[in-house]
Amino acid sequence: MASSASITGLFSRLSLLSRNTTTTATMTTTTTPRLFSTTSTSLARKAPPPAAGGSAPKAARRSRQAPKSENFFRIRTLRRNMFSPAPPPLRMARLRYLRHWTIHRAWQLFRRKQHEAIEKERSRMHAGMYNACEELRKTVGPGSRGEGYLYRVAMEKKGVYGLEGVPIEYARFQTDSPAKEAWNHDWKR
Amino acid sequence: MSRCQAVARPLARQLRQQCAIRPFTTGAARAAAATEEVQQTSSSAAAQPSPLDLDPNSVLPEFESNLIKAGKMPIGSRRRRVAMRTTANLPFEQLPYQAFQEARAILAADRQEKVTKIQEELEKISLLEKKDASLVKGGQAMKDTKLASLRRYVEQLKIQADINDPLVKKRFEDGLGDMNKPIYRHYAERKWRSYDYRLITQRIKQFNIVPDVLPKLDPVADVQLYFRQAKIPPGEIVDSLISENPPRLRVQVFDKGPRLVSLVVLDSDVPDVEKDAFSKRCHFLAANISLSPSDTSLPLSRIRADDQLAVPWLPPTSQKGAPYHRLGIYLLEQKPDTKLDVAKLKELYASRDGFSLKSFRDKFSLTPVGFNMFRSVWDDNTAGVMARHGIAGADVEFRPTRVHSLKPPVKPRGWEAKRQGPAYRHLWKYTKRIKGLSNARGWTKRR
């Protein structure tokens, strides 16, 4: 039975390629070609009968679990760590502690040097940009443009908020306090 | 071969190789001897336990049972014990822990940086010193300021260069630090500030030393007090028999160089019956005592020289019924390279009573740097001490004068007191217990 089913599956798939040309001897031709199922239509799983006595507990069990939110795992981790005790103190003998201290000091030193290098590089880049802008501001622009034209053009924020976009802050009036209704969910265009 | 030996073998092999490469002759030779021993024990199939196998720190697994029977439990893991056999002779900083060695390399590089910086700053200082003050912008004052700030920076760098060295830390913790070096002084000061300084400032505050004796006192040197080899915590009440002999001080200063100090022991609670007040009395006064960070011991009984001791030790005594006496030990730094005239001090303060530390400070331009204190009260030995030293007043007992209340007397109050009149005749058998006047047994107030 199984072999014949697989063969039928094969043929049914073949029938996709060359329609109406092949006919099988073992089985009557299927008018509607089935794509991904290899079982015959008589064995195919049928949809459960609606509101039958046997299928009621299954449906109930499935619905008991609340649907997991997208943040489920993050929330679970946070919950677990919220009331957990602090990790135990490090207990070390004297020389062991001294080695630990040495490594700790070296690590702190290394981190500080790294931070300082990053900071220096960033301030260097910022100063470079500042100087470039200053130079633009002082130049008398191409052709008949006046002083600072290039600077003004460079400072334009076209496309910063997306093509043809405006910042979300301008989407509604700026108020001192939040609205009574934070978001109108029923709004339709 | 047991499993743990198999585990430990590559480790031990590596250690042996490192030991052979290392230029430390003693360590390498001993390590080689140890490896020979290890090989011998493995070849002779665990017959004879070597001395290393009798040590719980380095016993091999086959000799563990012998050791346990002898009552000593092996220490640590087997892997560690095998490692200990070859590395016991390594100095601490050579121990082959990878992270530790990497850390030491980083710290050494940082130290090298600091040292080069120090050299640069020293060059700057020498250049500036040679330069004429008229060429410096701001004149002589600016030149002095610049030099001072450069020197301060160099001192800071000296500390920074050594502060990450584990061996320096270890040596300081062992008490072997050389206090002439800035890093050890820095460690010592940090330790002092973390507890003892706070304790001393608390005593200054709670015993009202600051308004009573001096208008301002912020100690910068560590002064510890010892009577008969016993350390006295600041503010302790000391038995008069113990304080009969002068104490020994342990003075640690945290800035470099020798300096001259003068020392005052002052009792600031001497009862003055005529004036109905308290006055002060000097118990010890010495000047021109030289101190430096490395010599810390200062026994008062050893200060005898003519140009040092002005007023000898007088045992602190108290009288019966008087409140405790605060005996403060004040260390005052003299101006650099100026000696006080002790003959003049002797003449000025020969009568100990009415000594004012503030005027002493102002007269000789001293700065108080160290403080410690103890207290003394009347106890069983005080009378004997006073008799031995010819101090009068052992037969006097102070009694507190009764201070009457200024409030007017209060009429009796309460349910019973209100119902004493004839209107309450029917309640009289219940109204006998009036607070302060009577109780169930009858009238208590004397008339």
Side-chain angles (χ1 to χ4, degrees):
Chain A
M1 182 66 210
S3 64
S4 70
S6 64
I7 286 167
T8 51
L10 195 71
F11 279 108
S12 67
R13 243 172 278 157
L14 276 175
S15 68
L16 252 184
L17 300 172
S18 54
R19 208 172 277 181
N20 301 329
T21 52
T22 52
T23 51
T24 53
T26 54
M27 209 177 154
T28 54
T29 49
T30 51
T31 47
T32 53
R34 291 175 54 82
L35 278 183
F36 297 112
S37 175
T38 55
T39 49
S40 55
T41 38
S42 59
L43 289 175
R45 198 171 138 265
K46 292 183 186 78
S55 66
K58 264 185 193 170
R61 201 188 301 149
R62 196 170 294 161
S63 65
R64 211 182 298 151
Q65 281 180 339
K68 285 175 185 171
S69 77
E70 55 180 332
N71 293 329
F72 175 76
F73 290 103
R74 290 175 63 194
I75 290 172
R76 195 179 63 183
T77 317
L78 286 175
R79 276 233 184 97
R80 276 183 190 161
N81 293 339
M82 194 154 49
F83 299 112
S84 64
L90 298 175
R91 294 198 189 95
M92 282 179 264
R94 187 175 174 212
L95 292 185
R96 176 86 200 279
Y97 173 72
L98 209 55
R99 289 199 296 274
H100 169 79
W101 179 85
T102 314
I103 294 165
H104 175 72
R105 295 294 290 208
W107 174 239
Q108 302 275 77
L109 192 72
F110 174 75
R111 289 275 306 265
R112 191 168 73 229
K113 283 197 173 152
Q114 223 176 16
H115 282 157
E116 276 169 4
I118 290 171
E119 186 78 4
K120 203 177 163 190
E121 174 65 11
R122 279 183 188 158
S123 60
R124 191 189 64 79
M125 292 199 296
H126 183 264
M129 283 192 284
Y130 180 85
N131 289 338
C133 288
E134 193 64 19
E135 203 55 40
L136 282 181
R137 201 177 63 75
K138 277 188 263 175
T139 46
V140 178
S144 60
R145 306 287 188 178
E147 190 190 31
Y149 167 77
L150 283 176
Y151 175 75
R152 285 199 300 280
V153 170
M155 286 298 112
E156 269 182 4
K157 297 196 175 173
K158 258 179 205 159
V160 169
Y161 301 97
L163 283 176
E164 308 282 321
V166 279
I168 191 70
E169 284 82 7
Y170 296 143
R172 60 180 176 83
F173 286 117
Q174 302 293 298
T175 53
D176 285 343
S177 52
K180 270 180 196 161
E181 193 190 358
W183 187 264
N184 187 1
H185 288 275
D186 300 332
W187 186 85
K188 284 280 184 297
R189 190 185 284 275
Chain B
M1 183 190 288
S2 68
R3 197 174 160 272
C4 91
Q5 257 180 315
V7 165
R9 178 171 265 189
L11 175 72
R13 198 183 298 145
Q14 209 168 4
L15 294 177
R16 259 176 249 151
Q17 282 171 356
Q18 283 180 351
C19 292
I21 291 163
R22 198 153 280 132
F24 284 86
T25 49
T26 55
R30 275 190 213 163
T35 52
E36 275 170 25
E37 266 174 38
V38 170
Q39 282 162 1
Q40 275 177 4
T41 49
S42 58
S43 62
S44 63
Q48 294 296 319
S50 68
L52 277 174
D53 288 323
L54 299 176
D55 183 12
N57 263 317
S58 59
V59 62
L60 282 183
E62 53 260 42
F63 300 111
E64 270 173 14
S65 57
N66 297 357
L67 208 65
I68 293 171
K69 270 178 212 156
K72 279 187 270 182
M73 289 306 285
I75 296 170
S77 68
R78 291 175 170 179
R79 187 192 169 96
R80 176 178 176 272
R81 269 177 263 142
V82 172
M84 288 290 279
R85 294 183 140 234
T86 50
T87 54
N89 303 316
L90 278 181
F92 168 73
E93 73 276 14
Q94 306 275 345
L95 286 176
Y97 296 95
Q98 194 182 357
F100 176 60
Q101 292 300 338
E102 295 285 338
R104 281 192 66 242
I106 288 178
L107 295 179
D110 179 64
R111 189 193 140 86
Q112 198 49 48
E113 241 173 63
K114 295 278 159 56
V115 168
T116 51
K117 226 183 232 176
I118 288 175
Q119 280 163 353
E120 283 169 19
E121 298 299 318
L122 286 180
E123 273 176 24
K124 266 193 214 170
I125 288 179
S126 62
L127 276 181
L128 190 60
E129 272 175 346
K130 278 177 208 159
K131 211 171 175 184
D132 190 43
S134 59
L135 295 176
V136 179
K137 194 179 170 190
Q140 184 64 40
M142 200 57 204
K143 185 183 168 186
D144 290 346
T145 319
K146 274 185 176 172
L147 276 177
S149 64
L150 276 174
R151 281 185 188 129
R152 212 180 317 128
Y153 184 47
V154 167
E155 287 304 306
Q156 209 180 332
L157 280 178
K158 276 183 196 167
I159 291 170
Q160 291 290 323
D162 279 335
I163 201 163
N164 287 325
D165 194 340
L167 280 184
V168 168
K169 186 172 153 72
K170 183 161 177 277
R171 228 170 283 145
F172 173 73
E173 283 167 2
D174 289 340
L176 303 172
D178 178 9
M179 284 298 164
N180 289 321
K181 293 184 178 159
I183 178 67
Y184 294 109
R185 271 186 267 128
H186 171 78
Y187 272 134
E189 173 157 23
R190 208 166 62 178
K191 192 181 172 204
W192 177 64
R193 295 250 171 209
S194 70
Y195 184 79
D196 293 332
Y197 168 75
R198 295 181 192 184
L199 188 68
I200 278 291
T201 44
Q202 189 186 32
R203 294 293 176 267
I204 289 171
K205 187 151 185 279
Q206 73 190 138
F207 288 112
N208 290 322
I209 300 295
V210 154
D212 288 1
V213 180
L214 281 172
K216 194 181 144 198
L217 178 58
D218 184 30
V220 292
D222 184 16
V223 181
Q224 289 171 14
L225 177 68
Y226 293 86
F227 274 112
R228 297 183 177 178
Q229 285 91 43
K231 186 178 168 183
I232 307 292
E236 178 102 322
I237 293 178
V238 177
D239 194 298
S240 57
L241 194 66
I242 289 173
S243 63
E244 190 179 1
N245 294 319
R248 181 170 61 85
L249 299 184
R250 195 192 153 278
V251 180
Q252 177 69 61
V253 288
F254 302 113
D255 42 350
K256 73 171 175 189
R259 83 277 329 267
L260 291 178
V261 294
S262 43
L263 184 68
V264 179
V265 180
L266 178 70
D267 182 350
S268 41
D269 294 302
V270 185
D272 188 349
V273 183
E274 274 85 51
K275 280 196 227 159
D276 190 18
F278 292 96
S279 68
K280 288 163 196 158
R281 185 201 291 146
C282 176
H283 278 256
F284 184 82
L285 176 59
N288 308 329
I289 304 162
S290 82
L291 269 185
S292 72
S294 52
D295 61 335
T296 55
S297 182
L298 179 58
L300 297 201
S301 52
R302 293 283 174 82
I303 303 173
R304 291 207 200 97
D306 252 356
D307 64 335
Q308 286 188 337
L309 181 63
V311 178
W313 178 256
L314 175 76
T317 49
S318 180
Q319 278 160 308
K320 205 171 181 181
Y324 60 75
H325 290 224
R326 294 167 292 170
L327 271 293
I329 294 156
Y330 303 88
L331 204 69
L332 303 108
E333 191 174 331
Q334 293 166 206
K335 274 191 172 174
D337 304 329
T338 48
K339 281 195 148 193
L340 297 195
D341 184 9
V342 175
K344 196 185 168 195
L345 287 184
K346 277 179 189 166
E347 179 195 323
L348 273 175
Y349 302 114
S351 74
R352 300 163 181 262
D353 295 325
F355 181 88
S356 167
L357 191 69
K358 187 173 173 296
S359 81
F360 176 64
R361 182 198 68 175
D362 293 340
K363 223 175 266 177
F364 299 97
S365 61
L366 308 165
T367 43
V369 288
F371 174 74
N372 205 325
M373 68 171 290
F374 64 98
R375 286 183 284 171
S376 109
V377 292
W378 172 267
D379 51 47
D380 299 344
N381 305 314
T382 312
V385 170
M386 287 169 106
R388 251 171 275 146
H389 293 271
I391 304 166
D395 49 349
V396 177
E397 181 178 341
F398 289 100
R399 294 188 62 189
T401 49
R402 175 77 190 266
V403 181
H404 289 279
S405 171
L406 294 176
K407 286 188 206 166
V410 194
K411 273 193 250 171
R413 286 176 295 181
W415 187 88
E416 285 91 350
K418 264 192 228 165
R419 286 160 182 77
Q420 293 292 312
Y424 297 99
R425 184 184 301 266
H426 63 286
L427 290 177
W428 277 3
K429 60 176 174 176
Y430 301 121
T431 56
K432 299 301 181 205
R433 304 181 182 193
I434 301 174
K435 190 181 178 193
L437 291 183
S438 59
N439 61 19
R441 258 169 263 120
W443 201 257
T444 56
K445 189 169 165 75
R446 268 180 275 155
R447 270 174 284 190

